[in-house]
């Protein structure tokens, strides 16, 4: 698996898409710092919104297409006594490592110098980087899940975009409709369960809870904080982010084991 992982990292670097990803993050980060309030809450929230938009979108589309395009070469490797387990997890960790390196270079380096003068905001920014790596793993796992069942690239790309739109846009609309039409009933626990089904919302809530912008959380964040408290939010966030990585990855691995090349 180590050889597959290193090969995948080299191929991703050679394709230059990781540099494009890193350069895009760095460029937008610098633009935000130029027009925003340096070292302030506005810059941190803007950086968080950038992270929650770009990382899931790029991770799920890039890894889904990469997984499909590598299938002919994967068939050759499997014929050379490479196990399916080594191939699958080598590709997964190779892609996630490549995207994480791009994230740390493109967002981490500029952000470190922008927030280094304020320890509080620097700590929150480092938290954001950790959650960004979590989101990278989650959406790569979701891309592998989609690509394990579908072999046509255009369909995989379409589904990937729909998944991203659901998590980023449609989910909050569903929560709002749920609270609007069932507001006369005790819906705290059902609403909490629904919130846990969106990793992007979990990250946004946890970061904002530690800032003066907590009022921006709205209904979902208020329910989560009231029900669990700050420590509970931290534990539940890491637990469900881990589940969001492991469950899709396990399903896609089992499907890959039965894949007929």
């Amino acid at each position: 698996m180590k050889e597959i992982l290193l090969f995948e990292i080299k191929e991703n670097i050679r394709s230059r898409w990781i540099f494009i990803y890193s350069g895009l993050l760095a460029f937008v980060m610098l633009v935000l710092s130029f027009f925003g309030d340096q070292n302030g809450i506005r810059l941190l929230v803007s950086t968080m919104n950038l992270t929650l938009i770009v990382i899931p979108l790029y991770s799920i589309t890039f890894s889904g297409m990469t997984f499909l395009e590598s299938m002919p070469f994967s068939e050759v490797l499997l014929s050379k006594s490479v196990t399916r387990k080594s191939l699958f997890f080598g590709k997964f960790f190779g892609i996630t490592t490549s995207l994480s390196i791009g994230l740390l270079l493109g967002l981490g380096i500029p952000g470190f110098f922008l927030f280094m003068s304020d320890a509080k905001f620097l700590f929150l920014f480092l938290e954001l980087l950790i959650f960004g790596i979590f989101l990278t793993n989650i959406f790569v796992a979701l891309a592998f899940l989609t690509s394990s069942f579908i072999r046509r690239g255009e369909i995989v790309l379409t589904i990937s975009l729909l998944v991203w739109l659901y998590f980023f846009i449609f989910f909050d609309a569903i929560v709002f409709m749920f609270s609007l039409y069932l507001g006369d009933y005790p819906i705290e626990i059902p609403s909490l369960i629904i919130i846990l089904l969106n990793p992007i919302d979990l990250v946004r809530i946890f970061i904002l809870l530690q800032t003066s912008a907590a009022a921006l959380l709205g209904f979902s964040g208020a329910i989560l904080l009231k029900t669990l408290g700050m420590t509970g939010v931290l534990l539940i966030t890491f637990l469900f982010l881990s589940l969001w990585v492991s469950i899709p990855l396990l399903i896609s691995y089992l499907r890959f084991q039965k894949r007929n090349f």
Side-chain angles (χ1 to χ4, degrees):
M1 187 177 72
K2 179 181 178 181
E3 291 77 12
I4 303 295
L5 186 153
L6 294 176
F7 174 80
E8 193 69 33
I9 294 175
K10 291 178 182 178
E11 285 298 303
N12 290 330
I13 293 176
R14 189 179 302 169
S15 69
R16 301 180 183 176
W17 284 107
I18 300 301
F19 293 105
I20 295 174
Y21 174 55
S22 183
L24 176 64
L25 289 173
F27 173 75
V28 178
M29 184 70 183
L30 293 176
V31 170
L32 289 175
S33 67
F34 180 78
F35 290 102
D37 179 19
Q38 288 193 5
N39 300 321
I41 184 61
R42 188 167 63 177
L43 178 58
L44 179 66
V45 173
S46 299
T47 304
M48 180 193 69
N49 290 330
L50 163 70
T51 302
L52 298 183
I53 293 173
V54 176
I55 292 177
L57 177 61
Y58 199 92
S59 297
I60 196 170
T61 53
F62 172 80
S63 54
M65 298 307 296
T66 300
F67 184 86
L68 277 184
E69 292 173 357
S70 66
M71 282 301 100
F73 182 64
S74 298
E75 186 175 359
V76 175
L77 291 178
L78 291 174
S79 66
K80 302 295 183 181
S81 72
V82 176
T83 64
R84 294 197 178 204
K85 180 179 180 180
S86 297
L87 177 62
F88 181 86
F89 287 103
K91 291 187 67 64
F92 174 79
F93 289 115
I95 292 175
T96 54
T97 301
S98 302
L99 290 172
S100 298
I101 291 173
L103 170 64
L104 293 175
L105 292 177
L107 193 67
I109 294 177
F112 177 80
F113 288 104
L114 288 172
F115 291 105
M116 64 184 299
S117 60
D118 191 311
K120 176 184 176 181
F121 288 119
L122 179 61
F123 176 76
L124 291 175
F125 177 72
L126 294 177
E127 278 188 359
L128 184 61
L129 288 179
I130 294 173
F131 285 122
I133 295 174
F134 252 117
L135 289 176
T136 298
N137 282 266
I138 289 170
F139 282 87
V140 171
L142 291 173
F144 273 43
L145 178 62
T146 304
S147 302
S148 296
F149 286 90
I150 301 173
R151 301 192 179 193
R152 296 182 58 181
E154 61 273 17
I155 299 179
V156 169
L157 183 59
T158 301
I159 294 177
S160 298
L161 292 174
L162 290 175
V163 169
W164 176 78
L165 285 172
Y166 163 73
F167 283 123
F168 191 73
I169 297 176
F170 298 150
F171 176 84
D172 282 337
I174 294 173
V175 173
F176 178 76
M177 295 288 290
F178 183 76
S179 63
L180 182 64
Y181 288 102
L182 298 177
D184 296 332
Y185 301 93
I187 60 171
E188 285 79 6
I189 299 302
S191 298
L192 176 59
I193 295 173
I194 294 175
I195 294 167
L196 297 176
L197 299 178
N198 187 347
I200 294 178
D201 217 24
L202 276 175
V203 172
R204 179 172 65 243
I205 288 171
F206 183 73
I207 296 294
L208 287 179
L209 279 175
Q210 302 174 72
T211 70
S212 59
L216 299 175
L217 289 174
F219 180 78
S220 59
I223 289 178
L224 194 60
L225 182 60
K226 179 181 178 181
T227 306
L228 298 176
M230 194 62 195
T231 303
V233 173
L234 173 61
L235 296 177
I236 207 74
T237 298
F238 275 100
L239 173 61
F240 274 82
L241 289 180
S242 301
L243 291 176
W244 268 108
V245 177
S246 57
I247 293 176
L249 190 62
L250 177 60
I251 297 173
S252 56
Y253 169 66
L254 294 176
R255 175 66 179 178
F256 185 76
Q257 287 281 58
K258 299 177 181 180
R259 187 185 183 104
N260 184 9
F261 288 87

